[in-house]
Amino acid sequence: MPLEAGLLEILACPACHAPLTETDTELVCTGKDCGLAYPIRDGIPVLLVDEARRPA
């Protein structure tokens, strides 16, 4: 279930404050030095750095 466009526009990475892009199951930070991927569970983004997946 995609997030509302207005919601995605106001969300930012909690670690570096860069914009996020949406994939099927995650919100991915667009920051060059960050790149954390935050899970979306039951349609709700979990924007906790401890829950984020580190870039490979």
Side-chain angles (χ1 to χ4, degrees), residues 1-3 7 22 24-26 38-46:
M1 170 187 270
L3 297 174
L7 178 62
E22 185 177 11
D24 289 336
T25 60
E26 298 177 317
Y38 299 93
I40 300 174
R41 295 187 187 132
D42 298 321
I44 301 169
V46 181

Side-chain angles (χ1 to χ4, degrees), residues 21-44:
T21 58
E22 185 177 11
T23 66
D24 289 336
T25 60
E26 298 177 317
L27 292 177
V28 181
C29 177
T30 59
K32 276 187 173 182
D33 297 328
C34 185
L36 292 174
Y38 299 93
I40 300 174
R41 295 187 187 132
D42 298 321
I44 301 169

Side-chain angles (χ1 to χ4, degrees), residues 11-20 28-31 34-36 38 47 49:
L11 292 178
C13 176
C16 72
H17 309 290
L20 299 168
V28 181
C29 177
T30 59
C34 185
L36 292 174
Y38 299 93
L47 297 177
V49 175

